[in-house]
């Protein structure tokens, strides 16, 4: 995989959003720049391109933006992983811990067939809770987690610790 650290130039930092003390990493400038967006999709697809991937799961909401074109590049299907109450059919649910409480992720029960290999994609890996919940959903449906791909990793939050046993790649890392 090519060095994608230059993409950091296209991440805007928003202080005190969504609450005081948090510096939000805004990827909208990256998405708006044709070369940066293309490089992001290409880097993630190339990293996992040597593997057989059946489905690419995108975690709501910004993960959808990246996962769908990665799925297209890999010749795989796209599966949305949504917050509770957003999917219209039978779902499998997974609770995960937030800084102040818990939340739920859901996936359609027929999104993966047993034995299918899934790549999980999201914009940011922070504490790892959301990604770990998505991995548990894949496994509960009988699928195999082929890997996890992120645009940004906030390494100082220790999210990789929750993804042990899974291969994860991040294009931009904030230590």
């Amino acid at each position: 995989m090519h060095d994608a650290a230059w993409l950091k130039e296209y991440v805007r930092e928003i202080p005190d959003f969504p609450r005081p003390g948090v510096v939000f990493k805004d990827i909208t400038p990256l998405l708006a720049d044709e070369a940066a967006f293309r490089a992001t999709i290409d880097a993630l697809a190339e990293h996992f391109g040597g593997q057989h991937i059946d489905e690419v799961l995108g975690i709501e909401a910004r993960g959808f933006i990246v996962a769908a074109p990665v799925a297209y590049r890999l010749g795989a299907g796209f599966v949305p992983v949504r917050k509770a109450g957003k999917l219209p059919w039978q779902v499998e649910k997974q609770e995960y811990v937030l800084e102040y409480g818990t939340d739920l992720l859901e996936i359609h029960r027929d999104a993966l067939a047993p034995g299918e290999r899934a790549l999980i994609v999201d914009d940011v890996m922070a504490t790892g809770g959301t990604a770990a919940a998505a991995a548990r959903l894949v496994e509960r449906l009988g699928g195999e987690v082929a890997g996890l791909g992120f645009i940004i990793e906030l390494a100082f939050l220790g999210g990789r610790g929750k993804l042990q046993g899974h291969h994860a790649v991040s294009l931009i890392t904030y230590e």
Side-chain angles (χ1 to χ4, degrees), residues 124-129 150 152-160:
V124 176
M125 180 197 343
T127 63
F150 305 93
I152 295 171
E153 178 177 353
L154 305 177
F156 58 90
L157 293 176
R160 267 186 199 267

Side-chain angles (χ1 to χ4, degrees), residues 16-52:
D16 299 320
F17 183 83
R19 62 182 164 271
V22 174
V23 179
F24 184 78
K25 307 298 186 209
D26 178 16
I27 64 166
T28 56
L30 182 147
L31 299 173
D33 184 90
E34 179 185 348
F37 185 52
R38 182 185 312 269
T40 298
I41 300 309
D42 288 349
L44 288 169
E46 287 170 14
H47 184 81
F48 294 99
Q51 301 181 45
H52 174 76

Side-chain angles (χ1 to χ4, degrees), residues 77-99:
F78 168 75
V79 174
V81 176
R82 309 263 344 238
K83 296 195 176 159
K86 304 271 185 164
L87 291 172
W89 197 68
Q90 296 172 0
V91 296
E92 193 67 39
K93 302 172 190 256
Q94 180 62 53
E95 188 174 73
Y96 64 101
V97 178
L98 298 168
E99 241 178 304

Side-chain angles (χ1 to χ4, degrees), residues 41-84:
I41 300 309
D42 288 349
L44 288 169
E46 287 170 14
H47 184 81
F48 294 99
Q51 301 181 45
H52 174 76
I53 306 289
D54 296 297
E55 306 289 347
V56 177
L57 279 64
I59 300 174
E60 184 171 339
R62 290 179 303 270
F64 294 174
I65 297 166
V66 182
V70 168
Y72 174 80
R73 283 280 318 274
L74 294 175
F78 168 75
V79 174
V81 176
R82 309 263 344 238
K83 296 195 176 159

Side-chain angles (χ1 to χ4, degrees), residues 73-143:
R73 283 280 318 274
L74 294 175
F78 168 75
V79 174
V81 176
R82 309 263 344 238
K83 296 195 176 159
K86 304 271 185 164
L87 291 172
W89 197 68
Q90 296 172 0
V91 296
E92 193 67 39
K93 302 172 190 256
Q94 180 62 53
E95 188 174 73
Y96 64 101
V97 178
L98 298 168
E99 241 178 304
Y100 302 105
T102 61
D103 208 348
L104 281 174
L105 284 182
E106 295 181 341
I107 189 171
H108 279 147
R109 285 193 177 152
D110 64 352
L112 291 167
E116 283 192 313
R117 292 176 47 81
L119 170 62
I120 299 167
V121 174
D122 205 357
D123 64 326
V124 176
M125 180 197 343
T127 63
T130 307
R136 286 191 298 276
L137 285 170
V138 167
E139 292 162 351
R140 190 168 314 129
L141 292 176

